[in-house]
């Protein structure tokens, strides 16, 4: 995000109440009316639903600098999602109408929000295309690559480190933890990744992307 946009967002949202949440705490519950719009300064927040089987299905992960839930703000639609802190989170919470007024008055903020929304939509469409056409192996590759590009730390020679668990990958891909564990072993046997103590290391990002394209 552009530094100028970040400063505008920070100046606006820090007028309002500051909150902290620890890992596992819920910011917004499904079917509850949100208390306002949350501006995420530090930490990660996952947005998810609970399936009929009682499984957690992750739809999105917010990182700094994000604000949510904007679908509820713009459309006044009932909130159907949980928003949960994935680690220690720092947020400011502003009244919905004040946020809408702020966005409407500033074209730069509005353009940035629309741009990020379309990037997210494009990513979701690509993800859906792969998920519909591929098996569990391809689905896992997709989730690992998405996590790598959004949250990974790039080292030398295109090596990427991601702090993530098998449980997280299962929730994000809609697979069981046992299936994820099995497919992780295949990737490790092919010497594409290492995975230990919730730290997944992609040995070469370009190589893993090539594997996805080939579908094997």
């Amino acid at each position: 995000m552009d530094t100028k946009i970040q400063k505008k967002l920070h100046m606006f949202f820090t007028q309002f109440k500051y909150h902290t949440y620890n890992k596992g705490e819920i910011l917004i519950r499904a079917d509850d009316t949100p208390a306002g719009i949350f501006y995420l300064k530090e930490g990660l927040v996952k947005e998810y639903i609970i399936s009929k089987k009682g499984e957690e299905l992750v739809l999105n992960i917010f990182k700094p600098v994000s604000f949510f839930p904007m679908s509820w703000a713009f459309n006044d639609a009932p909130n159907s999602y949980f928003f949960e802190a994935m680690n220690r989170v720092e947020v400011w919470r502003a009244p919905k109408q004040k946020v809408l007024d702020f966005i409407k008055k500033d074209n730069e903020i509005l353009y940035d929000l629309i741009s990020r929304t379309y990037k997210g939509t494009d990513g979701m469409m690509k993800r859906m295309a792969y998920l519909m056409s591929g098996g569990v192996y391809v689905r896992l590759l997709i989730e690992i690559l998405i996590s790598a590009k959004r949250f990974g730390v790039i080292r030398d020679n295109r090596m990427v480190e991601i702090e993530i668990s098998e449980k997280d990958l299962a929730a994000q891909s809609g697979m069981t933890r046992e299936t994820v564990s099995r497919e992780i072993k295949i990737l490790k046997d092919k010497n594409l990744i290492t995975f230990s103590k919730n730290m997944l290391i992609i040995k070469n990002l370009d190589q893993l992307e090539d594997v996805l394209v080939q579908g094997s």
Side-chain angles (χ1 to χ4, degrees):
M1 181 186 291
D2 181 83
T3 304
K4 183 180 177 182
I5 300 295
Q6 286 191 41
K7 287 181 178 178
K8 285 185 177 182
L9 289 171
H10 189 73
M11 286 181 64
F12 170 76
F13 278 100
T14 52
Q15 302 174 77
F16 304 101
K17 194 169 181 180
Y18 171 79
H19 299 267
T20 62
Y21 295 85
N22 293 319
K23 182 179 179 179
E25 288 192 291
I26 303 295
L27 285 73
I28 307 171
R29 293 187 178 277
D31 299 324
D32 284 354
T33 300
I37 302 300
F38 292 80
Y39 167 69
L40 178 62
K41 180 61 177 175
E42 296 290 340
L44 300 174
V45 172
K46 60 182 176 181
E47 177 184 5
Y48 64 92
I49 60 172
I50 302 296
S51 72
K52 291 181 179 180
K53 295 181 180 179
E55 298 169 333
E56 179 184 301
L57 301 176
V58 176
L59 305 176
N60 193 15
I61 296 175
F62 294 94
K63 62 179 182 179
V65 177
S66 303
F67 47 102
F68 55 85
M70 292 311 296
S71 178
W72 166 73
F74 278 120
N75 304 314
D76 208 25
N79 172 59
S80 304
Y81 311 109
F82 290 91
F83 293 79
E84 179 182 319
M86 297 181 69
N87 47 19
R88 187 179 184 278
V89 161
E90 296 181 22
V91 294
W92 281 268
R93 191 182 70 210
K96 178 177 73 171
Q97 192 56 53
K98 287 187 180 294
V99 174
L100 291 176
D101 291 342
F102 168 64
I103 292 171
K104 290 174 184 177
K105 290 176 182 177
D106 194 313
N107 289 334
E108 287 184 325
I109 296 294
L110 180 59
Y111 179 83
D112 178 75
L113 177 61
I114 292 172
S115 175
R116 286 193 286 150
T117 300
Y118 271 97
K119 284 180 183 177
T121 301
D122 184 55
M124 289 182 66
M125 295 297 287
K126 288 179 181 177
R127 181 183 182 189
M128 287 176 61
Y130 276 113
L131 294 181
M132 288 188 292
S133 62
V136 291
Y137 182 73
V138 171
R139 288 165 64 183
L140 182 61
L141 281 174
I142 282 286
E143 295 307 325
I144 290 174
L145 287 169
I146 289 173
S147 296
K149 291 181 178 181
R150 293 193 67 194
F151 311 110
V153 178
I154 299 177
R155 304 298 186 190
D156 295 336
N157 300 318
R158 297 288 283 163
M159 185 179 79
V160 180
E161 296 178 352
I162 319 164
E163 188 174 347
I164 197 166
S165 67
E166 286 187 357
K167 180 182 177 182
D168 292 333
L169 286 169
Q172 291 166 215
S173 62
M175 296 188 287
T176 65
R177 189 167 178 175
E178 292 75 18
T179 300
V180 168
S181 182
R182 185 180 66 244
E183 300 304 318
I184 284 285
K185 184 178 185 305
I186 294 172
L187 292 172
K188 290 167 71 174
D189 289 345
K190 290 184 176 182
N191 203 33
L192 293 167
I193 66 168
T194 61
F195 194 30
S196 178
K197 297 180 180 179
N198 294 343
M199 180 61 72
L200 190 152
I201 299 175
I202 301 171
K203 296 190 174 182
N204 186 292
L205 187 61
D206 294 332
Q207 184 181 6
L208 196 65
E209 288 180 324
D210 289 341
V211 170
L212 176 62
V213 172
Q214 295 162 10
S216 62

